[in-house]
Amino acid sequence: MTNPILSDWTTPFEIAPFADIADKDFPPALEQAMQAHNSQIDAIAENQDIPTFANTIEALEAAGEQMDKVLSVFFTVAGADSNPVREQLQRDFSPKLAAHFSGISSNKALFQRVAELWARKDQLGLSDEQARVLMLTHRGFVRAGAALTGDVDARMQEIKARLALLGTSFTQNLLADERDWFMTLTEDDLQGLPDFVIDTARAAGEEKGADGPVVTLSRSLIVPFLQFSPRRDLREKAYRAWTARGANGGDTDNREIAVETLSLREERAKLLGYDSFADFKLETEMARTPDRVRDLLMQVWEPAKTRADADAAILTQMMQEDGVNGPLEAWDWRYYAEKHRKAEHDLDEAKLKPYLQLDRMIEASFACANRLFGLEFKPLDVPLYHPDCRAWEVTRNDQHIAVFIGDYFARGSKRSGAWCSAMRSQAKFPKEQAPVVINVCNFAKGDPALLSYDDARTLFHEFGHALHQMLSDVTYESISGTSVARDFVELPSQLYEHWLEVPEVLAEFATHAETGAPMPQEMLQKVLQAANFDQGFQTVEYVASALVDLAFHDGAAPGDPMAKQAEVLDAIGMPQAIGMRHATPHFAHVFAGDGYSSGYYSYMWSEVMDADAFAAFEEAGGAFDPERAKALEVNILSTGGSREAEDLYLAFRGRLPGVEALLKGRGLVTA
């Protein structure tokens, strides 16, 4: 019987046939896919013909189709709809996949063919895109350790396999802590909470099988609870549980995993001849060096801390007026900041939220993409991996562009956060293929589902990533869509957030869940005026995390990461009432894999550009200026990694921006 994962997918647009796939299908599919991939790699490496771009680089691009099918399906469901079987499969697959891909990157005969091509690159008559793919392929082999030999080579393979297993364990520990903890609430504990928080808590209680409402560690529930609950004791209990994820002792504690991960990363970098892991990692990013990263972060840190300190004084006074003595604590900040926002901007989130319906915000994100890029979205009725998921066909001028899948609601089987991934990336070689793109979020379920303003911004952010995938127009999959420098990949996503703040967008799509009435003009103005409210807090918690990440990897690996974290925070004068956005034991960006290791700064690096890029629209014909939209698509969204990120931005804007646009955008210029 043919394994449904490896069969020809006859579904609409060749979407994975989720309804036919069972967990038992994954192990044999992976084994078969790895064997097929190894055979393809061996054929390329053992080819006796003189290396050419076609028989080596394009052959590599075409290899691994079965692997792509297996991994795209498996990692989609493992991240967004996990279960004990899938968690065990992740643990089983992790070392196998690490060994498989390490075997390819350390294949000496294969590397020799790539190296020969690289040495003759100027005589090959390559197109610009082909030359780029050759460079990236050669660089990837070198950075993976292909030039290493003997014991050093063997040790590199051991390190990569161990790091893969550690990253999987870190992720699963975090998911377990988030899934297992909840705090039951009595009816009295609900006093002072707005209806949307109460409804979310009751729904969470039903999911947990509890006899009544609960607070979970889902951001979509715990943050509004911290904002609105007048019960300081309950806020403290919830906050401490939230920040203790990955640090509760026992089998799910991540602190020793962090120690070993950092040590192995340092060793890996030194085997490749770098002074530190940060030097190795940043070499291929726009920032290039740890010093440039630190310089950017510190330029933002000082005005942000000044603003946060000023806000803390105001919140402390408010707390004392409530009869609470002692210092402002981290579980107090959101509660008093919400009261301060209500007083300063006369903006009550409980009254705002009914205007931010999930379905209407999805419509808004689609409508902006239509006005900017001419995209149309038609609902698709296809089986997906969870009943919460929805799908749309994306077209332009009646031509198929992509399939877009949205998985928006929080649940215990889904890891926290929000992300975008491509189950299939755009490419023209070895055959034309249109992308299948997924946005995964963790919004509170409701009827209708209502978003906070931050939730709505997250929806636009992830859809910006999706546009980067959907509008890709390159030949080779390896440089398609979001296959760009890490500190450039957040530019399209963060830039797209700006369209949520365009007054005409909110005026059309921010309609009341019960009455259907548009958001009153007065409230609309308050929303826009309050867009930068509490930016001191938000910037401080982010920059602190980025500085700790950099410190972990710039120099010798710390033997005690928690002590190093404390040292960094003390050195920068971290405000006592603000916690890191991601403390070490639950810093999944950094420890679930090395994607953002030494790279958490990249959101801010991209923000320097996104503020400047949106200003280009404002300086032209406005937010929907057609010439700027075309320039954005042609120079950034469609180009993938076909050119250096700096060159792409220069082609769009004509210059590189300074940090001033970011500070202005966050309202920190006069702080």
Side-chain angles (χ1 to χ4, degrees), residues 575-656:
Q576 184 261 339
I578 303 179
M580 292 170 62
R581 184 168 299 178
H582 304 288
T584 299
H586 53 262
F587 207 162
H589 279 80
V590 170
F591 292 105
D594 72 3
Y596 280 91
S597 55
S598 300
Y600 191 61
Y601 77 92
S602 60
Y603 290 94
M604 189 144 281
W605 190 276
S606 293
E607 190 177 340
V608 171
M609 291 180 286
D610 86 61
D612 180 66
F614 192 70
F617 281 85
E618 295 177 316
E619 292 163 9
F624 295 99
D625 180 75
E627 290 186 10
R628 286 289 84 199
K630 186 66 175 176
L632 179 63
E633 179 180 351
V634 168
N635 295 302
I636 293 176
L637 297 178
S638 69
T639 53
S642 60
R643 296 165 61 194
E644 289 291 334
E646 188 169 302
D647 294 338
L648 296 178
Y649 192 82
L650 284 170
F652 167 71
R653 189 65 162 119
R655 58 174 172 76
L656 291 175

Side-chain angles (χ1 to χ4, degrees), residues 291-595:
D291 286 344
R292 290 187 70 189
V293 172
R294 189 175 290 104
D295 180 60
L296 167 68
L297 294 173
M298 292 309 298
Q299 284 186 67
V300 179
W301 173 259
E302 293 302 334
K305 182 177 181 296
T306 300
R307 174 63 55 81
D309 288 342
D311 289 343
I314 295 171
L315 303 186
T316 300
Q317 182 178 346
M318 294 174 67
M319 186 178 75
Q320 291 172 349
E321 290 171 355
D322 277 354
V324 180
N325 295 319
L328 182 75
E329 300 287 357
W331 49 87
D332 297 318
W333 191 292
R334 287 176 175 84
Y335 178 70
Y336 284 100
E338 180 61 30
K339 294 180 73 171
H340 184 213
R341 181 172 74 155
K342 189 174 179 180
E344 183 170 297
H345 295 284
D346 192 22
L347 187 62
D348 184 344
E349 182 159 322
K351 294 180 180 178
L352 170 64
K353 209 161 186 179
Y355 290 97
L356 299 175
Q357 301 175 69
L358 171 61
D359 285 351
R360 294 293 279 153
M361 291 299 102
I362 294 171
E363 287 181 51
S365 67
F366 289 176
C368 291
N370 175 260
R371 290 185 63 181
L372 289 165
F373 311 115
L375 301 180
E376 302 277 356
F377 299 82
K378 178 184 176 182
L380 282 175
D381 184 13
V382 292
L384 298 168
Y385 60 86
H386 193 278
D388 286 345
C389 296
R390 297 183 244 177
W392 293 264
E393 182 191 5
V394 186
T395 61
R396 179 159 58 184
N397 299 325
D398 296 324
Q399 296 295 310
H400 179 74
I401 297 293
V403 170
F404 174 66
I405 299 170
D407 179 3
Y408 295 108
F409 297 124
R411 53 181 175 265
S413 62
K414 183 189 290 186
R415 64 180 170 91
S416 62
W419 63 94
C420 174
S421 59
M423 292 200 66
R424 182 171 63 238
S425 295
Q426 178 272 330
K428 300 173 185 175
F429 178 90
K431 62 180 181 180
E432 290 267 358
Q433 61 184 39
V436 177
V437 186
I438 304 180
N439 275 179
V440 183
C441 300
N442 271 281
F443 303 142
K445 213 167 189 176
D447 185 21
L450 304 178
L451 305 182
S452 68
Y453 196 72
D454 188 53
D455 287 339
R457 193 157 40 220
T458 296
L459 186 147
F460 269 70
H461 177 102
E462 297 306 331
F463 194 69
H465 281 309
L467 288 172
H468 202 180
Q469 296 277 16
M470 292 189 288
L471 291 172
S472 178
D473 185 20
V474 297
T475 302
Y476 301 104
E477 187 173 343
S478 64
I479 55 169
S480 174
T482 56
S483 299
V484 298
R486 181 68 64 175
D487 50 12
F488 189 71
V489 76
E490 298 298 337
L491 170 60
S493 55
Q494 293 179 180
L495 175 58
Y496 204 65
E497 293 179 34
H498 288 274
W499 274 273
L500 175 62
E501 298 178 356
V502 175
E504 62 189 281
V505 174
L506 286 174
E508 181 177 358
F509 294 98
T511 56
H512 198 279
E514 295 178 6
T515 68
M519 183 183 290
Q521 187 65 29
E522 182 182 9
M523 181 180 284
L524 175 60
Q525 290 302 317
K526 290 174 182 176
V527 168
L528 297 174
Q529 290 168 4
N532 283 324
F533 180 76
D534 213 23
Q535 274 297 335
F537 170 87
Q538 294 180 40
T539 308
V540 160
E541 65 166 4
Y542 166 80
V543 174
S545 295
L547 285 167
V548 168
D549 165 42
L550 185 65
F552 280 162
H553 298 98
D554 185 19
D560 184 348
M562 299 305 293
K564 184 66 173 180
Q565 172 183 295
E567 175 189 322
V568 172
L569 298 182
D570 182 63
I572 61 177
M574 182 73 170
Q576 184 261 339
I578 303 179
M580 292 170 62
R581 184 168 299 178
H582 304 288
T584 299
H586 53 262
F587 207 162
H589 279 80
V590 170
F591 292 105
D594 72 3

Side-chain angles (χ1 to χ4, degrees), residues 207-221:
E207 187 198 6
K208 296 295 184 186
D211 186 20
V214 304
V215 174
T216 68
L217 297 182
S218 169
R219 178 176 283 270
S220 62
L221 177 51

Side-chain angles (χ1 to χ4, degrees), residues 76-150:
T76 293
V77 298
D81 192 27
S82 192
N83 60 37
V85 173
R86 290 169 186 171
E87 290 178 11
Q88 183 58 52
L89 288 176
Q90 273 192 286
R91 292 190 289 271
D92 294 342
F93 288 177
S94 183
K96 290 182 179 179
L97 289 170
H100 175 75
F101 289 110
S102 289
I104 295 172
S105 63
S106 62
N107 186 312
K108 304 306 179 187
L110 181 61
F111 175 58
Q112 183 60 38
R113 293 183 68 83
V114 174
E116 285 183 29
L117 281 174
W118 179 245
R120 295 188 284 113
K121 60 184 181 295
D122 294 334
Q123 289 82 49
L124 299 177
L126 302 179
S127 69
D128 290 344
E129 187 175 332
Q130 289 173 328
R132 175 76 173 169
V133 171
L134 173 58
M135 185 279 288
L136 292 172
T137 303
H138 179 260
R139 187 175 75 181
F141 271 96
V142 172
R143 288 171 59 80
L148 301 178
T149 57

Side-chain angles (χ1 to χ4, degrees), residues 9-31:
W9 294 349
T10 58
T11 50
F13 308 110
E14 298 182 337
I15 299 172
F18 290 105
D20 299 331
I21 296 171
D23 289 343
K24 64 180 176 59
D25 296 322
F26 287 115
L30 181 64
E31 289 299 326

Side-chain angles (χ1 to χ4, degrees), residues 105-230:
S105 63
S106 62
N107 186 312
K108 304 306 179 187
L110 181 61
F111 175 58
Q112 183 60 38
R113 293 183 68 83
V114 174
E116 285 183 29
L117 281 174
W118 179 245
R120 295 188 284 113
K121 60 184 181 295
D122 294 334
Q123 289 82 49
L124 299 177
L126 302 179
S127 69
D128 290 344
E129 187 175 332
Q130 289 173 328
R132 175 76 173 169
V133 171
L134 173 58
M135 185 279 288
L136 292 172
T137 303
H138 179 260
R139 187 175 75 181
F141 271 96
V142 172
R143 288 171 59 80
L148 301 178
T149 57
D151 292 343
V152 177
D153 183 26
R155 177 57 181 158
M156 177 63 79
Q157 309 318 312
E158 292 174 0
I159 290 172
K160 288 194 282 189
R162 181 61 179 163
L163 283 172
L165 191 59
L166 291 172
T168 298
S169 298
F170 190 98
T171 301
Q172 294 188 349
N173 290 345
L174 183 54
L175 177 62
D177 278 4
E178 291 171 345
R179 181 181 55 220
D180 295 346
W181 187 93
F182 60 89
M183 179 176 70
T184 57
L185 300 175
T186 67
E187 292 301 313
D188 288 343
D189 296 336
L190 301 177
Q191 296 297 315
L193 294 176
D195 288 344
F196 77 85
V197 180
I198 295 173
D199 292 344
T200 304
R202 293 194 192 282
E206 290 180 15
E207 187 198 6
K208 296 295 184 186
D211 186 20
V214 304
V215 174
T216 68
L217 297 182
S218 169
R219 178 176 283 270
S220 62
L221 177 51
I222 196 166
V223 168
F225 182 79
L226 293 171
Q227 280 180 287
F228 292 105
S229 175

